[in-house]
Amino acid sequence: MMWRRTLALLILAATAACAGSAGTTEQTLRFRLREDPPTIDPAFVTDQVSATVVRRLHAGLVDFDPETLEIVPRVAERWDISDDGTIYTFHLRKGVLFHNGREVTAEDAAWSLRRLVDPATHSQRAWILSPVRGATAFREGQAQDVEGIIVEDPFTLRLELEQAYAPFLGQLAMENAAILPRETWGSPPADPGSPDYNIGCGPFHLVEWVHSNYMTVAAFDDYYAGRPTLDRIIFRFIGNLSTSLEEYRAGGLDILDEIVSGQRHALREQLGDELRQWPQMAAYFFGFNHQVAPFKGNRALRQAINYAVDKEYICRVLQEGKDIPQTGILPPGIPGYNPDLKGYPHNLKKAKELMIEAGYPGGEGLPEIPMLYNTSENHQRIATQIQSDLAKIGVRVSLRNLDWASFLHAVEGNTKDHSETPFFRLGWFADYPDPDNFLYVLLHSDNWGPAGNNSLYSNPEFDRLVDEARSLTDMKDRIPLYRQAEKLAVEDAAWLFLYFYEDEALVKPYVRNFVLSPMGDQMAPLENITLDLH
Amino acid sequence: MITYALRRLLLLGPVLLVVATVAWLAVFVLPGDPARLLAGQTADPEVIARVRADWGLDAPPWVQYGQYLSRLAHLDLGRSYVDRRPVTTILLEHLPASLVLAISAVTLALLMGLVCGTLAALHRGTWIDATVLGGSLLGLSTPVFWLGLMLVLALASSRGLGWFPVSGYGPVGAPSFHLAGLPIRLPSPANLILPALTLALVSAGSLARMTRSAILDVLRQDYIRAARGRGLSAWRVLGRHALRNALIPVVTFAGLDLAALVGGAIATESVFAWPGLGKIVVRAIHARDLPLVEGSILAMTTGFVLVTLLVDLSYGWIDPRTRTH
């Protein structure tokens, strides 16, 4: 009899395994994530995996339109900005509910923003509120409260800035500024991943998180913008890309957000339109350390290296037709992107001439340059190609491969002793769609070191232009200034420019309304997806 | 026997102290600042300093070591820097998956190894022997990562036979039971087969060779000739005398394999998205999640010592001559 019971149990398990597959009418999306989200607390999100989940569970005052990237209303239905650009008044929608059924008020918004900047929270993204009056003093423990966060009435919140700061709304649209119910988030439980704790006002609520395995979120029936068309999303954590692809092929995933290298051409042929590819606001480059030899003060050498490396080849062959050769700092799609910038197209003759100008004709007298990259097949391939390209102009490069932690440690040694790492891989994905997020963060001299400018690039005229641009509120006035600054940095050959990323995903033909956002998969509003299962 | 077991258990204390110290030192001297990683890709130095202070990473090394030992003395493995949960909870959460996989793989490997090794020994010099030796060499030299992917392609992929799930642990929403307040989930058999087979095929190669050589050795002994001379059937000689005496090296190997697989099936866990300990250890090392790395090493060491103790104790059952020693 025992074997019959076992058989019955196995059949039951197999039946359960089929639940939620594409064969049923329930709208359940199976989405792959490369690992468990490191956190689902909005205050701590700094990575794309966490953001993908947090954006499903939470909502803030404002948001980005995932396609146009304009700032659009979310919990705040509208806002006013004072003429001098220092006072933002947000008018909250009435009737927006948290997952626990309570209405969202301006007090919640104020509490959540205060929590983000509170030194006791230890958020890495507290800087989002730095422009707010009194936020820095509060963060540094010199004030009891943030002066500039003011609740005018239950549905009106006023934020006062120290001075006009154009990217502020973009920063508020980041997932870190989500509105949380203070009654649950005020006292953290033993398990920060518990559904009872992770209450928000987003389109989905957390159902279950089985660590290293999967996470399920379900539609929030009372979501203010209407119940999502999807009933559930199952985030499956599958790190291995070959396995992910086979899982997708076998029908265990509806969307696969990453594709194993070497398969793109075959997949285009086999799966046709299921492979989607679109420009992303992100750049891949190698940083020069501007404060050490041989790059310090030697613009001709930096330019020679830029001309010597064949970016077209890297994109077309190594990246299998993915990604776009980088011609400037700002990627396509971001306000201020300058299509007229030509960057450094492959030109060996020019590179050799510049080597003479740099004082190293044919590489003579130039010591071998160590080049660092963090462990990844892709980085390895690209670094090897750079090494081979540079050998043609006499620049000898030695490759050093480190894991991420050791890599950061080595790169950031720069700020202390300016000596450890002259040449290293870097990449940047936009936090918010504003030119400031590239130009200020990555190249302004106030941001030297881990804050973003790892190249230790410094150009007073560049700094002046960016400072002026970020104090203006009208994007039309800011763009010319950012463009001038960008042109300076390109002429200075601030980095070895390589490519602007393109995002890619495999999407099953029955998945409708999957938005290809230039900000990445995490921005795609999965709540609007429908599965055409018939 | 009980005294011996107790003595071995008492030795666990000093072993763990040494391992704890080595684990702490190894993690401590690794380049890379955990606070830097926790602070995110762009973080100003004040934020990094604050994170460092929050986790006590700004204290002098000997103070950090002292705090670490004091925590251990209270059986507290600390909290993970990354997901901010107790390390013990994380380890217990992932332990069942690792245990089930390791036990299944070793059981399967033992079955395959014993059967093939015995057949090879009994048919020494024939095609059966050659096939077993060749097959075991293939199993031994095949990278587990590659073997796993091949099994997926052949038996699970939509381009193959599609008999098994490609990856995962079981159906979403499958019920769990609670043990000491922790939800415990068991895998579905369909999900377990391929990862267990992957590990088993690699281990079975060694076990088959070991069984073959041990049986050949035993079959040459006088007492086997005497048993045959007394007219015992070939199967009885094999079952009662040869196999049992040949088991000791096989059981030792299988025991060590079991202990190693609990935390060390990293490649297999990666290929099959299996939620075991190996996966979290690798992730913890990359993230410089010191408490989780240290806790995992200690847990694995404890497991290793306990399994080897069980193996040692099993010798007495397998070979009564060892009981007096």
Side-chain angles (χ1 to χ4, degrees), chain B residues 58-79:
Chain B
D58 55 349
W62 59 89
V63 174
Q64 289 188 49
Y65 179 64
Q67 287 167 343
Y68 166 64
L69 285 187
S70 148
R71 272 203 329 262
L72 285 186
H74 293 90
L75 298 177
D76 175 9
L77 296 177
R79 273 180 177 264

Side-chain angles (χ1 to χ4, degrees), chain A residues 283-398:
Chain A
Y284 184 102
F285 52 94
F286 272 69
F288 300 119
N289 185 334
H290 287 256
Q291 300 305 315
V292 296
F295 299 117
K296 185 177 183 181
N298 199 336
R299 184 161 81 165
L301 175 64
R302 300 192 300 266
Q303 288 178 333
I305 286 175
N306 264 289
Y307 277 120
V309 175
D310 190 348
K311 294 118 188 164
E312 278 285 349
Y313 178 82
I314 289 176
C315 292
R316 199 181 64 249
V317 179
L318 299 189
Q319 301 296 92
E320 304 160 88
K322 182 182 166 282
D323 305 321
I324 306 161
Q326 190 180 9
T327 49
I329 311 286
L330 300 175
I334 206 161
Y337 166 67
N338 186 352
D340 298 331
L341 278 179
K342 297 293 173 233
Y344 294 88
H346 185 49
N347 189 334
L348 271 182
K349 187 169 170 276
K350 207 161 185 176
K352 284 176 182 166
E353 286 166 11
L354 281 161
M355 285 299 286
I356 297 169
E357 194 184 320
Y360 303 112
E364 211 176 296
L366 183 68
E368 187 175 79
I369 304 169
M371 182 165 81
L372 250 68
Y373 57 95
N374 55 301
T375 309
S376 131
E377 267 181 51
N378 191 45
H379 303 335
Q380 168 93 35
R381 254 195 321 268
I382 289 170
T384 310
Q385 184 59 39
I386 293 171
Q387 186 184 41
S388 142
D389 281 348
L390 293 184
K392 292 174 191 158
I393 58 165
V395 175
R396 288 174 303 122
V397 163
S398 60

Side-chain angles (χ1 to χ4, degrees), chain A residues 213-225:
Chain A
N213 198 348
Y214 66 86
M215 176 188 278
T216 308
V217 299
F220 176 38
D221 292 333
D222 297 320
Y223 180 51
Y224 79 89

Side-chain angles (χ1 to χ4, degrees), chain A residues 54-375:
Chain A
V54 163
R55 283 195 167 268
R56 311 286 78 80
L57 304 177
H58 297 282
L61 290 166
V62 292
D63 204 351
F64 304 114
D65 179 291
E67 283 175 292
T68 65
L69 301 180
E70 283 171 18
I71 304 292
V72 291
R74 192 90 193 255
V75 173
E77 60 184 343
R78 64 191 167 82
W79 57 90
D80 311 309
I81 305 174
S82 64
D83 290 342
D84 65 355
T86 59
I87 299 174
Y88 288 68
T89 309
F90 295 93
H91 305 279
L92 274 64
R93 293 171 204 274
K94 290 178 181 155
V96 176
L97 298 181
F98 286 119
H99 302 149
N100 62 9
R102 187 172 67 71
E103 189 174 29
V104 178
T105 65
E107 276 294 351
D108 295 303
W111 182 87
S112 306
L113 295 178
R114 212 175 283 126
R115 173 181 184 266
L116 180 63
V117 79
D118 191 332
T121 306
H122 311 299
S123 167
Q124 302 93 317
R125 287 283 172 88
W127 55 261
I128 287 176
L129 291 181
S130 295
V132 175
R133 188 158 56 80
T136 306
F138 179 60
R139 189 176 153 198
E140 288 170 358
Q142 292 158 5
Q144 293 297 306
D145 202 353
V146 185
E147 263 182 90
I149 301 179
I150 298 150
V151 175
E152 288 192 350
D153 65 48
F155 296 99
T156 310
L157 177 74
R158 196 169 80 230
L159 298 180
E160 296 182 359
L161 310 193
E162 302 272 7
Q163 57 189 47
Y165 176 62
F168 183 58
L169 276 180
Q171 291 182 190
L172 274 188
M174 290 169 68
E175 49 281 352
N176 312 92
I179 303 176
L180 310 169
R182 52 197 186 281
E183 65 272 20
T184 53
W185 288 82
S187 46
D191 178 7
S194 121
D196 298 335
Y197 177 60
N198 287 282
I199 306 284
C201 57
F204 293 90
H205 64 90
L206 179 64
V207 175
E208 188 183 25
W209 182 357
V210 182
H211 291 271
S212 301
N213 198 348
Y214 66 86
M215 176 188 278
T216 308
V217 299
F220 176 38
D221 292 333
D222 297 320
Y223 180 51
Y224 79 89
R227 185 188 188 279
T229 47
L230 285 178
D231 296 309
R232 291 195 301 167
I233 306 173
I234 297 167
F235 294 107
R236 289 199 53 198
F237 311 133
I238 311 177
N240 187 290
L241 285 178
S242 302
T243 307
S244 305
L245 181 58
E246 289 312 319
E247 191 65 86
Y248 174 84
R249 284 182 190 273
L253 293 169
D254 301 310
I255 297 176
L256 175 58
D257 61 327
E258 238 179 314
I259 290 157
V260 61
S261 299
Q263 295 279 335
R264 289 189 187 100
H265 291 312
L267 287 173
R268 272 185 208 115
E269 274 182 22
Q270 292 162 8
L271 301 175
D273 291 344
E274 288 182 43
L275 177 60
R276 316 269 181 96
Q277 214 167 296
W278 66 100
Q280 194 174 12
M281 287 186 183
Y284 184 102
F285 52 94
F286 272 69
F288 300 119
N289 185 334
H290 287 256
Q291 300 305 315
V292 296
F295 299 117
K296 185 177 183 181
N298 199 336
R299 184 161 81 165
L301 175 64
R302 300 192 300 266
Q303 288 178 333
I305 286 175
N306 264 289
Y307 277 120
V309 175
D310 190 348
K311 294 118 188 164
E312 278 285 349
Y313 178 82
I314 289 176
C315 292
R316 199 181 64 249
V317 179
L318 299 189
Q319 301 296 92
E320 304 160 88
K322 182 182 166 282
D323 305 321
I324 306 161
Q326 190 180 9
T327 49
I329 311 286
L330 300 175
I334 206 161
Y337 166 67
N338 186 352
D340 298 331
L341 278 179
K342 297 293 173 233
Y344 294 88
H346 185 49
N347 189 334
L348 271 182
K349 187 169 170 276
K350 207 161 185 176
K352 284 176 182 166
E353 286 166 11
L354 281 161
M355 285 299 286
I356 297 169
E357 194 184 320
Y360 303 112
E364 211 176 296
L366 183 68
E368 187 175 79
I369 304 169
M371 182 165 81
L372 250 68
Y373 57 95
N374 55 301
T375 309

